[in-house]
Amino acid sequence: YYAFIDGVTNMEANRAVLVSPVMKSSGNRFELTFSYHMYTYVVGTLSISTTYNGVIWTKSGSQSSNWLTSKVIVNVPKGQEYQGGFKCQTFFIIHPYISIEQ
C-alpha cells in the first residue's frame, strides 16, 4: 500500500489519517514495519497509534531525501480488540510532502 499527503496547496494544517478496521490480537506483540519519506523545509508530523496503546511512534520535520524504514513493536494482549492508524499532518509552507509505504 502507498499513501501520500501533499501540502503544496498551501492550506494550513493539511491532515490525512489511515485507520485499520477493528482487529483482535492473536498474540501479545507484533512488529509493524513500514517505509516513510519526509523531506522538504518543514514537513510536519507522522505518527502511529493504536486504540490500546495511544501514540507508539512519531517523527517531525524533514528526515531525509531518501526513503527510511522503521520497525515498531506493538504490545497488545492476546484477545484484545484494537485499531491502528497512521496520522500525517503538514503545516503552512511551500511543498511539504509525507509518504508512507507497506
Side-chain angles (χ1 to χ4, degrees), residues 27-99:
N28 290 325
R29 60 186 262 161
F30 63 92
E31 184 177 277
L32 173 65
T33 302
F34 60 97
S35 298
Y36 61 98
H37 186 268
M38 299 170 65
Y39 180 70
T40 193
Y41 300 103
V42 179
V43 175
T45 301
L46 173 63
S47 61
I48 300 170
S49 62
T50 72
T51 53
Y52 184 80
N53 305 97
V55 176
I56 56 174
W57 183 92
T58 189
K59 289 284 182 184
S60 295
S62 189
Q63 299 297 311
S64 173
S65 60
N66 298 311
W67 281 86
L68 302 173
T69 298
S70 190
K71 293 180 183 180
V72 179
I73 300 297
V74 182
N75 295 301
V76 179
K78 186 174 183 175
Q80 176 72 42
E81 289 189 344
Y82 69 97
Q83 282 182 288
F86 287 85
K87 179 180 178 183
C88 303
Q89 181 169 351
T90 64
F91 301 109
F92 185 71
I93 53 165
I94 298 172
H95 301 292
Y97 301 106
I98 298 176
S99 302

Side-chain angles (χ1 to χ4, degrees), residues 17-28:
V17 180
L18 300 174
V19 180
S20 74
V22 174
M23 299 176 282
K24 187 175 278 191
S25 178
S26 60
N28 290 325

